[in-house]
Amino acid sequence: MKFTFRPSLLAPALSILLLGFSVRLVVAQLPASNASAGCQTLKPAHLNTANDFIGMGHFQEDCQKDSQAAVSSFTQAIQLNPTAEEPYYHRANAYAAVGNYQAAVADYTEVIRQNTGRFGFSSPAYWNRARAYEKLGEEQKAISDLDQLIGDSSSNADEYFFRGNMYRELGNKESAIADYKAAEKLFRDYLDGVYGSGHMDPMNQEKLDKVRNELSRLGVNTSMPQITTGRILQSIARIEVERALKLASFEPQHPTAQSFDAQLQDLYQQLSGAQPQPYQGVVENLISNAAYEKMESLEAERAQLLEKFTPSHPAISLVDSQKNQLETLIRRNKV
């Protein structure tokens, strides 16, 4: 089991640091016969510095799928720079990947001890140490780490869901229900676009279903949630794209185009009164993403048509016109 990082709701500019990625300072990529096909992680040309050994550890994990070898590389990095928390963090992840959770806990603890918040390793170290404690059957210690992450409140549903599971395992039904309810509310907000379009992911719908199942098992009667705002947003994005495709064949005054306009007018009106309201720019991002996705399929369709027809063929001209309409739609919804 490879430990990954908890989802973050922080700004993208901070995400690299929070996820604990190291800067892989390498000179060149060296061929390796035992590297997995398509791996993009570079192998350091030399092994002289702590960063070189960190880079080698990443290469061994990502390309050679050898976490035990990565442990040795990260250990070399620690010996070269014992006061840096980064190699401890990566070695902890490698230990966890090979099932040595006691060693992983020790390294995550060292990261937390050393880290002052400057480089963003503490938060994922608390999260991953909680997961290691879970594997060791030490639920109360996992809860203590999650308490550090959640504090008085958190916008991360996974933290509440995880802590709810730990409370459930300890038989603390009341605390488990409270955390599951908090997680349910946040997952619903994610799907309604309250935290931006990036969290309107089908995976969060699956997590919402899991939370609701846990509440049901604990005797909490939950009705099927109505993700009204999210459904309106998704409908707007779909119909905007369909309208753009039709405009490649019809003028805006055509009844077909006006039918789409009427649907969109109704949906935007519903959105204005929907609760909760989505984060600013969510509908524009969803429209642009849907348009880009459709453009990819049109590119594939155009390539197939070119095998049979010349670029001036009406079928290809229609595809080009549809792409132009989608490009216009994207520009209009640029945030």
Side-chain angles (χ1 to χ4, degrees), residues 191-202:
L191 295 169
D192 274 329
V194 174
Y195 289 91
S197 58
H199 284 80
M200 297 178 68
D201 189 287

Side-chain angles (χ1 to χ4, degrees), residues 161-182:
F161 190 20
F162 189 2
R163 194 172 68 175
N165 288 338
M166 296 299 93
Y167 278 130
R168 182 203 62 207
E169 290 299 313
L170 292 175
N172 189 337
K173 180 178 178 180
E174 182 178 349
S175 295
I177 289 174
D179 274 354
Y180 286 145
K181 285 184 175 179

